């Protein structure tokens, strides 16, 4: 098999391409407003109302044609895992998970499962997200996902994701990438460099957290 290059820092996992995976969590990346302006400005009807017909057009001449040619490629969330695998030369299982605020922790679970089934020994795992973007804030606002804070300044009074009385979330940004490694590989590399163990993982699904006044379970059938 391949061995670590001389540039690999001592005590860190060697990247063997076909045994190294990449699982990254990301929310949907919000486009910049100035890139959408030209398209949106030409997508209104005679009454000044947004028109899907004007946006798409019938002969490929719609307003969306005013978007930069590479607009979609710039904002695909899977570009995160794509760039990491290219930079580090990894060829194992690669995936980007886009499940809003749970994306980062889900990437750790997916990385552990990739390793458990024997498809990789090491995986990049973590998340990267910023909701401090006008379109990101607009999306959360229309979905009623943000907590109404009024004049309050203490985030701890609102950031309560597991509290039934939570009224919503708070916008923010952050990023972190960890190396998830099989126990056998980690012990062979350097037992003193094992910082934590993933003892288990579980995940469920729901359409949206139940914030009071936002989603009525009985109304959804």
């Amino acid at each position: 098999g391949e061995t670590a290059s001389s540039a690999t820092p001592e005590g860190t996992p060697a990247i063997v391409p076909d045994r190294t995976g990449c699982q990254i969590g990301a929310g949907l990346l919000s486009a910049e407003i100035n890139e959408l302006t030209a398209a949106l400005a030409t997508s209104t009807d005679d009454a000044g109302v947004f028109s899907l017909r004007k946006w798409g057009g019938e002969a490929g001449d719609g307003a969306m044609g005013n978007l930069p040619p590479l607009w979609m490629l710039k904002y695909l969330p899977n570009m995160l895992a794509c760039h990491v695998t290219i930079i580090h030369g990894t060829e194992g299982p690669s995936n980007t998970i886009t499940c809003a605020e749970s994306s980062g922790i889900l990437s750790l679970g997916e990385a552990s499962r990739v390793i458990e089934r024997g498809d990789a020994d090491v995986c990049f795992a973590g998340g990267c997200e910023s909701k401090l973007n006008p379109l990101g804030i607009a999306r959360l606002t229309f979905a009623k996902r943000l907590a109404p804070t009024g004049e309050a300044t203490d985030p701890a009074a609102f950031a309560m994701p597991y509290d039934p009385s939570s009224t919503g979330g708070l916008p923010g940004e952050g990023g972190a990438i960890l190396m998830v490694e099989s126990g056998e590989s980690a012990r062979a590399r350097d037992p003193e460099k094992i910082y934590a163990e993933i003892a288990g993982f579980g995940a469920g699904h729901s359409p949206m957290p139940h914030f009071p006044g936002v989603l009525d379970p009985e109304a959804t059938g």
Side-chain angles (χ1 to χ4, degrees), residues 175-199:
I177 300 294
L178 307 176
M179 296 299 289
V180 179
E181 186 175 12
S182 71
E184 180 181 357
S185 173
R187 286 187 291 271
R189 174 178 53 80
D190 187 346
E192 295 185 1
K193 294 293 184 178
I194 299 175
Y195 300 110
E197 178 184 1
I198 299 177

Side-chain angles (χ1 to χ4, degrees), residues 15 22 78-91 94 124:
I15 293 181
C22 180
N78 62 356
M79 295 303 285
L80 294 171
C82 174
H83 286 299
V84 171
T85 57
I86 290 173
I87 290 171
H88 295 284
T90 67
E91 300 174 2
S94 173
F124 289 91

Side-chain angles (χ1 to χ4, degrees), residues 11 44 52-53 101 105:
T44 56
L52 286 175
R53 185 177 298 277
E101 294 84 354
I105 193 67

Side-chain angles (χ1 to χ4, degrees), residues 38-117:
L40 291 175
T42 54
S43 62
T44 56
D45 59 21
D46 294 337
V49 178
F50 176 77
S51 166
L52 286 175
R53 185 177 298 277
K54 288 275 191 177
W55 174 261
E58 296 181 348
D61 58 351
M64 65 182 299
N66 292 319
L67 292 170
L70 298 180
W71 179 79
M72 179 64 74
L73 293 180
K74 288 177 62 177
Y75 298 107
L76 289 174
N78 62 356
M79 295 303 285
L80 294 171
C82 174
H83 286 299
V84 171
T85 57
I86 290 173
I87 290 171
H88 295 284
T90 67
E91 300 174 2
S94 173
N95 191 20
T96 300
I97 298 172
T98 54
C99 292
E101 294 84 354
S102 61
S103 301
I105 193 67
L106 287 173
S107 76
L108 292 175
E110 180 63 17
S112 67
R113 288 170 174 169
V114 166
I115 292 172
E116 283 177 345
R117 63 176 181 255

